[in-house]
């Protein structure tokens, strides 16, 4: 009887991609792969460590897996493993693997199943010394849109961020391998692909940068109908990239550009690589190429040195840019980063500012959606929504609710936006 492996995946799209790659490999080795259930023989917890809260959630999920089946093999991998030396001391964990060597997981599980008396398997690389991209490829996907990991690692060392210490330096998938993966994906019927990475804008394979890779994709993967980026830093949006957006509608009409703060004082303390003037000038260039583009962002509130005056500056700048959605994070101290040593903003002030911006984001989302009332959008249909509706996303990443027609799942269709109510967008099929 095949052994059952239950997955718990935390954190970013890269983690999701890597979990999917391991799911595919485990299935190929005869395992039954599923979301974690009480009778699984093996649990794999792919962890996150971006904040102290993420660490706490990772620990909680490890304890949950151990409790679900005390006799199961427990495998912990990813960023929490990499950044927490005490992770290997957690009672009940059988396998612990960091980043850069997740391919070890499947063989470690097989060996442990064959001989449960073997010692705890621990494999944590010195990730700051990693210099090769780990080839993990996905063959099947959980969603209508497929994610393709093209890069790993980050070298920005922002003062609030642990990720460079968790993921190591920038390493990139070969451009030829990216193209091969996309050709296979489109032949399987996927209409949309998201290029993902820890620091996607730093993609470089020999002389092929991100814009060069996108050019190749547009030429060599003609069946692809929509190409989206998971995220890109504003200082990596070059003129070549903007020109590609201007001339190629296959590139999604949406960019996620992390701002973090609209205050130059705070940006300087974060050691970001731009100021508000640079950010605004680049946005203006992007909107010259794509006037109705959706631009979403990340904002950290309550970072050290964010006085009330600086917070107001930040919010005013957000208004000036006119984002279509904010992902808001109250600053969380992270051991091992420079910002821990800085003067801290009180928790109640952080919470107040976070709630303020979350409410403001709803207003921004509604304002952006209203621009498309009675307009036509192209939508890729994803799944059923309730009993008689379905949902899909437009190129500019609006979620549209449509009348149910299961024959259209996975298809790209034209719709007209007919109603916006209670934060939901409704359309009819043209």
């Amino acid at each position: 009887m095949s052994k059952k492996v239950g997955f718990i995946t935390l954190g970013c799209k890269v983690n999701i991609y890597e979990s999917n790659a391991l799911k595919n490999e485990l299935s190929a080795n005869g395992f039954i792969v599923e979301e974690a259930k009480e009778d699984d023989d093996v649990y794999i917890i792919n962890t996150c460590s971006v904040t102290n809260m993420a660490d706490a959630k990772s620990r909680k999920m490890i304890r949950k897996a151990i409790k679900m089946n005390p006799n199961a093999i427990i495998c912990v991998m990813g960023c929490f493993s990499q950044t927490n030396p005490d992770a290997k001391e957690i009672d009940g964990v059988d396998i612990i693997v960091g980043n850069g060597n997740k391919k070890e997981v499947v063989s470690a599980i097989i060996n442990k199943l064959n001989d449960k008396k073997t010692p705890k398997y621990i494999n944590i690389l010195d990730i700051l010394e990693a210099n090769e991209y780990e080839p993990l490829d996905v063959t099947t996907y959980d969603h209508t849109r497929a994610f393709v990991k093209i890069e790993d690692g980050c070298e920005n060392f922002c003062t609030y961020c642990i990720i460079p210490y968790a993921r190591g330096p920038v390493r990139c998938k070969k451009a030829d391998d990216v193209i091969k993966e996309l050709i296979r994906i489109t032949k399987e019927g996927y209409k949309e692909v998201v290029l993902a990475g820890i620091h996607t804008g730093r993609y470089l394979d020999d002389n092929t940068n991100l814009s060069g890779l996108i050019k190749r994709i547009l030429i060599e993967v003609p069946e692809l109908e929509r190409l989206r980026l998971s995220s890109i830093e504003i200082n990596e949006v070059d003129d070549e990239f903007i020109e590609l957006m201007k001339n190629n509608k296959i590139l999604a009409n949406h960019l996620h550009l992390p701002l973090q703060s609209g205050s130059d004082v705070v940006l300087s303390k974060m050691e970001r690589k731009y100021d508000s003037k640079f950010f605004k000038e680049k946005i203006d260039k992007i909107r010259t190429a794509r006037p109705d583009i959706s631009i979403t962002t990340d904002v950290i509130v309550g970072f050290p040195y964010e006085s009330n005056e600086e917070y107001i500056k930040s919010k005013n700048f957000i208004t000036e840019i006119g984002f279509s959605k904010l992902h808001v994070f109250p600053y969380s101290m992270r051991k091992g980063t420079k910002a821990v040593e800085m003067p801290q903003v009180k928790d109640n002030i952080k919470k107040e500012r976070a709630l303020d911006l979350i409410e403001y984001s709803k207003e921004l989302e509604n304002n952006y959606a209203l621009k498309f009332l009675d307009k036509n959008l192209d939508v890729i249909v994803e799944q059923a929504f309730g009993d008689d509706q379905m949902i899909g996303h437009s190129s500019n990443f609006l979620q549209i609710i449509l009348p149910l027609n299961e024959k259209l799942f996975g298809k790209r269709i034209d719709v007209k936006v007919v109603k916006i109510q209670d934060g939901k967008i409704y359309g009819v099929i043209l």
Side-chain angles (χ1 to χ4, degrees), residues 54-69:
D55 273 356
K57 189 170 183 181
S58 294
R59 287 191 182 91
K60 181 181 178 182
M61 290 300 105
I62 294 165
R63 291 194 298 268
K64 179 181 177 181
I66 294 168
K67 188 176 180 181
M68 278 197 289
N69 184 359

Side-chain angles (χ1 to χ4, degrees), residues 75-334:
C75 171
V76 178
M77 67 179 193
C79 293
F80 175 80
S81 309
Q82 190 71 49
T83 59
N84 291 270
D86 59 333
K88 61 181 180 288
E89 308 299 335
I90 298 174
D91 289 338
V93 174
D94 302 287
I95 298 165
I96 183 159
V97 173
N99 287 322
N101 57 348
K102 289 179 177 175
K103 268 204 172 289
E104 301 290 326
V105 165
V106 176
S107 60
I109 288 170
I110 292 170
N111 290 339
K112 192 71 176 177
L113 284 168
N114 290 336
D115 182 6
K116 289 200 173 184
K117 292 181 180 178
T118 56
K120 183 184 289 188
Y121 179 83
I122 300 171
N123 193 335
I124 307 292
L125 298 176
D126 181 353
I127 199 67
L128 292 178
E129 297 298 320
N131 53 28
E132 290 187 8
Y133 179 87
E134 183 181 24
L136 289 170
D137 290 329
V138 177
T139 54
T140 59
Y141 300 85
D142 295 340
H143 300 93
T144 307
R145 73 176 65 89
F147 290 90
V148 173
K149 179 185 169 188
I150 64 170
E151 180 274 343
D152 205 342
C154 179
E155 297 165 17
N156 267 7
F157 292 96
C158 300
T159 59
Y160 54 83
C161 188
I162 198 69
I163 294 305
Y165 304 98
R167 284 281 178 173
V170 170
R171 292 99 67 206
C172 300
K173 182 181 286 186
K174 292 290 183 186
D176 287 346
D177 292 339
V178 175
I179 299 296
K180 287 175 188 173
E181 191 169 355
L182 265 68
I183 289 171
R184 176 177 53 73
I185 287 166
T186 54
K187 283 181 178 176
E188 289 173 7
Y190 289 93
K191 306 297 183 187
E192 178 177 330
V193 171
V194 183
L195 300 183
I198 301 299
H199 193 165
T200 315
R202 284 289 306 277
Y203 180 86
L204 186 65
D205 173 38
D206 293 330
N207 293 319
T208 303
N209 63 6
L210 181 62
S211 295
L213 177 66
I214 291 170
K215 275 185 183 176
R216 282 195 59 183
I217 292 169
L218 294 170
I219 294 167
E220 297 178 44
V221 194
E223 293 178 0
L224 183 64
E225 294 190 25
R226 189 184 291 167
L227 183 65
R228 194 182 298 277
L229 295 181
S230 60
S231 179
I232 185 170
E233 295 287 344
I234 193 74
N235 51 315
E236 285 147 11
V237 179
D238 57 20
D239 290 345
E240 186 180 13
F241 180 83
I242 294 171
E243 193 67 19
L244 284 170
M245 292 203 74
K246 180 180 178 181
N247 297 318
N248 296 277
K249 295 304 178 185
I250 288 172
L251 282 170
N253 201 26
H254 166 245
L255 287 175
H256 186 78
L257 301 167
L259 171 66
Q260 309 304 6
S261 177
S263 156
D264 287 337
V265 169
V266 175
L267 287 172
S268 174
K269 297 298 182 182
M270 289 177 167
E271 294 186 15
R272 299 290 284 169
K273 307 295 189 277
Y274 53 84
D275 59 15
S276 59
K277 181 174 181 288
F278 179 91
F279 197 100
K280 176 66 165 60
E281 288 172 351
K282 193 70 75 168
I283 294 293
D284 289 344
K285 281 189 173 184
I286 293 167
R287 286 200 169 121
T288 299
R290 291 276 186 100
D292 60 350
I293 191 170
S294 168
I295 297 176
T296 57
T297 197
D298 298 331
V299 182
I300 296 172
V301 295
F303 188 78
Y305 300 98
E306 187 186 68
S307 63
N308 192 54
E309 181 184 0
E310 297 306 322
Y311 172 69
I312 291 168
K313 282 182 185 177
S314 187
K315 187 174 179 181
N316 287 343
F317 185 72
I318 288 165
T319 303
E320 184 181 358
I321 295 297
F323 293 104
S324 51
K325 186 175 183 177
L326 312 176
H327 297 268
V328 182
F329 306 91
Y331 168 67
S332 172
M333 286 195 297
R334 189 61 179 82

Side-chain angles (χ1 to χ4, degrees), residues 334-378:
R334 189 61 179 82
K335 185 180 176 182
T337 62
K338 290 182 184 178
V340 170
E341 308 300 325
M342 297 178 184
Q344 302 298 311
V345 175
K346 291 179 179 178
D347 286 345
N348 64 315
I349 294 175
K350 290 186 210 174
K351 185 177 180 181
E352 182 182 300
R353 291 174 186 170
L355 290 172
D356 180 46
L357 278 194
I358 289 167
E359 283 302 308
Y360 188 43
S361 179
K362 293 175 185 176
E363 183 182 328
L364 292 172
E365 289 176 63
N366 190 63
N367 289 343
Y368 182 74
L370 284 169
K371 292 180 182 180
F372 300 92
L373 187 61
D374 296 323
K375 302 281 181 63
N376 297 347
L377 293 170
D378 68 305

